[in-house]
Each structure stands twice: as structure tokens, then as C-alpha cells.
Amino acid sequence: MTHNTPLSPRPLHHLADGRRRLMTVAQLRAHGVSAAETDEQCRPGGPWQRLLPNVVLLHPGPPTSEERLHAVLLYAARERTERPAAGATASVPVQPGREEAPAPAYAEAVITGLAALTLHGFSAAPPLPSLDAIDVLVPRLRRLRTTGCARIVRTTALPTAVWVTGVPAAPVARALADAVAELTDAGVVRRLLTEAVRGGHCEPAAVVRELNRARLLSRPHVVDAVDSLVAEGRALAEQRLYRMVREHGLPEPVWNVDLRLPGGPLLGGVDAFWPEHSVALELDTRAHRQQEDDAVWAEHVRKREHLERLGITVVHLTPRKLRDSTEHQATVVRTALMAAGDREPAAYVVVSPR
């Protein structure tokens, strides 16, 4: 035998078992399958097929939705032989508390957009088989192109992946922004954003931050959907607040009132007020553009400082605090109410419904 003698052909049926229905050309080569042999197996009518460049489906017939997802990841993931770009991370981070990254680990590739929302369980997102293209996030400097069912979405920084059924998916807020970037139907955008909040996937502020980062808030149909999103988020936060007062035995306040000095100007509105304790509560449900946030926050600070100069304690809560630490927030309110007896009497204010 000389160095030019070809190796004896290896049986290929073992590659197409239940666990290995997709492989890259490099992985096949590592299993002893030459490029010529791969071409032969992928001939028209053959047992294999090229699903994407350098990605081979090891059976005939259409791929399943799961196979399409993993094919896109195999196509977009950095092969071990590739050299990472300067400053790039060689792996996809895993969100704490989620699934551990399974093998194979898809370096520098994260499913996003509508496919990721479907993985997260969104009923308003289309089923995977109906998607012509699957969006996949890759670092900006990767030399990849959109092809077949893989649509490349470039980013300067990969988000922390959430592993769902063995697939690295972008967090909901990021997946929403990437999906909205491709959508023109205002109804679909509104349904997706509303489900994100109503389904408890994320807070409105997180969604709007991602939409703002993606420069999508200049689109009229997105702005309309954001208005609905903010209203939905506020309604849910108010429900949590009512439930916190009831379930934790807090005194019943007067809800959604305006405060003013007798014969004087309006001091501002609050979400709950305990007149006998001079304690007011405000929900921070801001979720608009940064410039608007700055103006709203400045006005909020002025109102809070004015009320506190009058001897009224202002408790500030966010929807996330109400959702994630209800008991602790109830303790904060109860402490403020109990401390009322140790304070100087507050100024008399007129309370009226908002």
C-alpha cells in the first residue's frame, strides 16, 4: 500500500441514525467521508441532500421543522477551524436558570425573529413549518450570506441565548425587535407586542428599549403598537397592585386620584393614596423613547419632591418589582404606613378622582 492508495470505503448508514440526521461537510470529513463521496450521496434521487451550503441532510424527503432550525444553526455557527474575529466571543452564552447548552454548541449563532418567538411559545407567531426563512443572529464581521431558509441578521453583540428544546434562541425582547424589523402588518405587530406583556414574557420597557435600539420607533405602525403595549403593561401592573393590597392585608387606599392644595394648583396624580397615613404610591410604567423618558422622569421627580416637602411619603414601584418580589413590595408599603405616626403631620390636601 502506498500513500496514494485510497482508504477502503466506510459504510455510511451509521451516520444517518436518529441522532445524526444533519452534519456539516467538515463533520462528514471527520467521519472519513470524502467530498466526492458526499457529492455522490447528494446526487438527485440519492439518500442525502444539501439543505444549505456545507450542511447535509442525511435522509431523502423534506426536512422537519427541527431539522431546518438545526440546519440554519449549523450553517451560521462558527466551525472550530474558523478563527474568531478580534474581540469576538467564541461561544454563545447561556442565560442563567435556563437549559444548559447541549451538544453541539452552536458558536456565534442564535435563532431570533419569528422563529424564536415560536420557540418561546407565542401563539401570535406563525408555526415553524410556515416560515420561509429562519432568522439567525451572527456577529457583524462574520462572512455569511442569506441563503435558502437561513436569513442572516448581523449584530455588534450577540445577546445571551435562551436554550429552548435544544435550540439557542434570542431573549423575547430582542426576538421581538428582530421580528418587527421585517413586519409591515400593524395588526401582527400589535398582537406580538401585546402577547409579550400579557403572557408575562417581558416588561414593556424591555421591548421598547430593543425597538429603540433597532431604530424602529420612527415607523408609524410600530409607534401605534407601542402605545397599545404601554396600555397593556399598565393594566397588568395595576392588577398586580390591587392583588398585592388585597392578598397582603394592606389597608385599602383610594385609587387613581389627583392631589392638590386647597384652593391651590394640582400637585399631581398618584395610583394609590392613604389619606390617614399621608402615603402615596406611584407605578412607573414609562416605556417610551429616551427623550420622552427624560422629560417624564424630570416631572416625576419634581412632583415627588413637592409632595415630600408637604410631608407626604411617596412609594415608587415598577411593574417588574410587583411581578418578581410582591411580598417585599408589600413590606415596603406597610413600613411606610407604619412610620406615619412618627412623622410630623402632613399638609392637608384635597383628593379627587382622576
Side-chain angles (χ1 to χ4, degrees):
M1 175 183 290
T2 68
H3 291 295
N4 294 324
T5 304
L7 295 174
S8 300
R10 299 179 60 187
L12 302 179
H13 60 81
H14 72 287
L15 295 178
D17 61 21
R19 296 178 56 193
R20 292 182 178 273
R21 296 170 65 86
L22 280 164
M23 297 184 77
T24 64
V25 171
Q27 289 169 343
L28 287 168
R29 189 180 305 117
H31 280 76
V33 182
S34 67
E37 196 166 14
T38 297
D39 291 339
E40 173 63 21
Q41 294 294 313
C42 293
R43 70 189 185 283
W48 296 354
Q49 53 187 308
R50 292 185 185 273
L51 196 52
L52 286 168
N54 293 318
V55 179
V56 177
L57 183 65
L58 305 182
H59 68 80
T64 65
S65 296
E66 182 181 8
E67 287 169 343
R68 291 176 77 226
L69 281 170
H70 287 280
V72 168
L73 288 165
L74 282 173
Y75 168 67
R78 185 181 293 280
E79 295 268 13
R80 290 184 178 181
T81 56
E82 292 185 64
R83 179 174 297 174
T89 303
S91 62
V92 177
V94 181
Q95 196 171 85
R98 298 288 185 144
E99 292 180 28
E100 290 298 321
Y106 296 114
E108 297 189 2
V110 178
I111 298 296
T112 191
L114 289 173
L117 295 179
T118 301
L119 290 170
H120 284 298
F122 274 61
S123 61
L128 291 174
S130 69
L131 293 176
D132 294 328
I134 295 171
D135 295 330
V136 59
L137 282 165
V138 301
R140 182 174 58 86
L141 297 180
R142 291 290 308 281
R143 288 184 288 184
L144 288 169
R145 61 183 177 86
T146 293
T147 183
C149 62
R151 181 160 54 206
I152 300 300
V153 181
R154 302 184 186 281
T155 181
T156 55
L158 281 176
T160 300
V162 179
W163 287 82
V164 185
T165 63
V167 175
V172 168
R174 177 58 191 268
L176 272 170
D178 290 331
V180 168
E182 301 293 331
L183 295 171
T184 57
D185 188 316
V188 173
V189 172
R190 185 178 298 107
R191 286 193 294 274
L192 287 172
L193 267 59
T194 299
E195 184 173 353
V197 176
R198 186 176 296 171
H201 294 284
C202 57
E203 297 296 333
V207 177
V208 178
R209 277 196 301 271
E210 287 292 345
L211 293 174
N212 190 40
R213 180 201 55 78
R215 301 179 181 178
L216 296 172
L217 292 179
S218 60
R219 302 182 183 183
H221 69 285
V222 177
V223 173
D224 291 344
V226 166
D227 289 340
S228 298
L229 174 76
V230 172
E232 182 76 21
R234 179 162 188 86
L236 285 175
E238 288 177 344
Q239 290 173 16
R240 290 172 183 150
L241 179 58
Y242 300 152
R243 189 163 56 247
M244 181 191 77
V245 169
R246 183 177 64 253
E247 293 180 354
H248 291 272
L250 296 173
E252 189 74 14
V254 288
W255 298 102
N256 297 313
V257 294
D258 284 327
L259 306 179
R260 67 175 67 244
L261 291 172
L266 180 68
L267 297 172
V270 294
D271 295 285
F273 185 58
W274 288 265
E276 64 276 19
H277 301 87
S278 296
V279 172
L281 184 147
E282 282 194 303
L283 281 173
D284 179 9
T285 55
R286 295 170 299 133
H288 289 82
R289 281 178 280 251
Q290 183 62 44
Q291 295 87 342
E292 296 173 356
D293 271 359
D294 291 343
V296 171
W297 181 250
E299 178 59 30
H300 164 79
V301 170
R302 283 194 295 270
K303 178 177 69 175
R304 180 172 183 167
E305 289 176 347
H306 193 176
L307 290 174
E308 290 183 341
R309 283 197 299 270
L310 295 172
I312 297 172
T313 299
V314 181
V315 178
H316 179 260
L317 296 184
T318 64
R320 174 174 290 184
K321 289 178 180 178
L322 277 173
R323 184 191 67 185
D324 297 341
S325 57
T326 306
E327 185 175 356
H328 176 69
Q329 303 314 310
T331 301
V332 170
V333 174
R334 183 178 289 108
T335 300
L337 295 174
M338 293 173 62
D342 299 328
R343 300 194 304 267
E344 292 293 326
Y348 177 78
V349 295
V350 177
V351 180
S352 58
R354 271 200 283 190

